[in-house]
């Protein structure tokens, strides 16, 4: 029952969420999750292992469009309403049985629809992350012969960002894959051209970096699977499937650790109100730091893959003004009528820490975060590959520490301007409680609220 319902439930407000989860999950799935708690749909969903997929695929086929969330929500809610409080017990049971049969029949049709779409368009792969059915994939060689990035788009209406899966070719010629993305035929073709997938890695707890792991493992069943700690922390978490080990907690070492070292950042209750982890990796041969969300390089121009989604879902090139809006909105910074200057300030440093993490996560785990940052800075890296925005970008340990200056009560590579942090201030108080606002991180930024 939990597996059928988990993808549709909304995380509790106190969970520490990735950027996409904050933007998308609470906006897109609230009505759908509420409907799933009402009989008889809850019974039907619990019975059908493909129920989470059926309604979206069927609706998308009827509309002939990529985005079917709104109509799906209305359809699910109307189904749920049939079994409302005014219905008799017998009527509810009968409707529940008919709902199960209807879903079973729809599942069979959806299975054929899924096969048709997969065969007809190599960008197709059902995903819980919008755009949910069709995703363009861009492969880029980041370190010649050794490291590649695979980019797709994650989006909610007019707010979108690129997301990157990192692939490393090991000494034996096999592939190490971190942060699997939606496994479209296009992505799998581009990946298989590089060699045999031997290892799958999830480097954190944020939904966008792990939602495709289970499907990826079904495609590459011989691959080992290693994940960051803190998975399945709430009922809203996705089922990532079986794993070979938890990084930093398993007794055995990962088979790839001689080539790719790692450091784990992990916080969980009761020390914090929610669970969050990120694992940083160091590829020894290329001296490359492989990060997820820890440190980023902000570009002045939009990442090319964003043109596959455009401004609001219609593929087109983004203007500089549209990109400025998207980046500032994605990070919950205030629109001050100075988007161009605000983006330029974030793009100027060698690297920055995401404002969302800086002000809604690190204030409640400053000591653990600073220890992790110091461990990473001990590696002799000279470039970074991150899961978002530009990559690779040149960065040395001293510059990495500069980006995290706020953890050590020092000036950081980027400092917010007056009026930029009002939304983040409210969000931090909502997620972490008033105590977070008493941290040195928020006190140092008081003038930007």
């Amino acid at each position: 029952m939990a597996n059928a319902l988990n993808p549709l439930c909304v995380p509790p407000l106190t969970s520490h969420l990735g950027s996409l989860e904050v933007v998308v999950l609470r906006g897109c799935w609230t009505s759908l999750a509420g409907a799933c708690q009402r009989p008889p749909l809850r019974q039907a969903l619990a019975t059908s292992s493909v129920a989470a997929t059926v309604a979206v695929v069927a609706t998308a086929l009827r509309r002939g469009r990529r985005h079917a969330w709104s109509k799906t929500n209305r359809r699910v809610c109307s189904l749920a309403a049939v079994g409302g409080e005014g219905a008799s017990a017998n009527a509810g049971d009968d409707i529940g049985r008919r709902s199960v049969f209807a879903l079973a029949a729809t599942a069979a049709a959806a299975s054929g629809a899924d096969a048709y779409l997969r065969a007809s368009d190599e960008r197709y792969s059902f995903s819980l992350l919008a755009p949910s059915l069709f995703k363009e994939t861009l492969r880029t060689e980041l370190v010649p012969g050794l490291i590649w990035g695979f980019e797709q788009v994650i989006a909610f209406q007019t707010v979108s960002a690129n997301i990157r899966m990192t692939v490393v070719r090991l000494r034996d010629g096999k592939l190490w894959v971190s942060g699997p993305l939606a496994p479209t035929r296009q992505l799998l073709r581009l990946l298989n051209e590089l060699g045999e997938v031997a290892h799958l890695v999830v480097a954190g707890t944020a939904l966008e970096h792990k939602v495709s792991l289970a499907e990826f493992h079904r495609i590459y069943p011989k691959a080992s699977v290693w994940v960051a700690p803190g998975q399945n922390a709430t009922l809203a978490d996705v089922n990532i499937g079986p794993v070979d080990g938890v990084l930093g907690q398993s007794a055995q070492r990962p088979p790839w650790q001689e080539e790719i070292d790692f450091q784990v950042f992990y916080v969980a209750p009761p020390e914090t109100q929610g669970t969050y982890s990120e694992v940083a990796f160091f590829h020894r041969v290329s001296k490359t730091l492989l990060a997820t969300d820890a440190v980023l390089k902000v570009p002045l121009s939009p990442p090319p893959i964003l043109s596959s989604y455009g401004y609001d879902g219609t593929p087109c090139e983004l203007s500089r003004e549209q990109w400025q809006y998207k980046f500032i909105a994605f990070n919950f910074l205030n629109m001050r009528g100075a988007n161009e200057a605000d983006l330029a300030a974030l793009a100027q440093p060698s690297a920055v820490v995401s404002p969302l993490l800086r002000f809604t996560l690190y204030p409640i785990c400053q000591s653990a975060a600073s220890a992790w940052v110091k461990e990473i800075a001990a590696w002799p890296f000279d470039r970074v590959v991150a899961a978002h925005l530009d990559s690779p970008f040149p960065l040395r340990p001293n510059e990495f520490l500069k980006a995290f200056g706020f953890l050590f009560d020092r000036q950081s590579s980027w400092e917010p301007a007056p009026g930029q942090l009002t939304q983040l201030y409210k969000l931090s108080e909502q997620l972490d409680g008033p105590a977070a606002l008493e941290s040195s991180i928020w006190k140092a930024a008081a003038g930007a609220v």
Side-chain angles (χ1 to χ4, degrees), residues 113-131:
D114 180 87
Y116 170 78
L117 285 171
R118 193 172 296 276
S120 64
D121 193 322
E122 69 170 4
R123 300 167 303 147
Y124 167 78
S125 179
F126 176 79
S127 172
L128 292 176
L129 305 181

Side-chain angles (χ1 to χ4, degrees), residues 143-188:
V143 178
L146 292 174
I147 303 177
W148 292 262
F150 288 67
E151 292 178 68
Q152 293 179 351
V153 174
I154 49 178
F156 175 54
Q157 295 182 356
T158 59
V159 179
S160 58
N162 67 324
I163 183 169
R164 181 177 292 107
M165 176 179 84
T166 301
V167 177
V168 178
R169 179 177 286 150
L170 302 176
R171 285 196 296 260
D172 62 4
K174 296 180 180 179
L175 304 179
W176 179 94
V177 178
S178 178
L181 297 181
T184 64
R185 285 196 299 115
Q186 182 186 38
L187 181 144
L188 296 176

Side-chain angles (χ1 to χ4, degrees), residues 32 51 71 78 141 153 176 181 197 217 244 266 271 301 350 359 409 419 429:
L32 188 57
K71 188 168 183 179
S78 65
E141 189 174 47
V153 174
W176 179 94
L181 297 181
V197 174
H217 197 202
D244 292 282
Y266 174 48
E271 286 75 19
S301 300
S350 302
F359 292 107
D409 298 326
E429 184 176 29

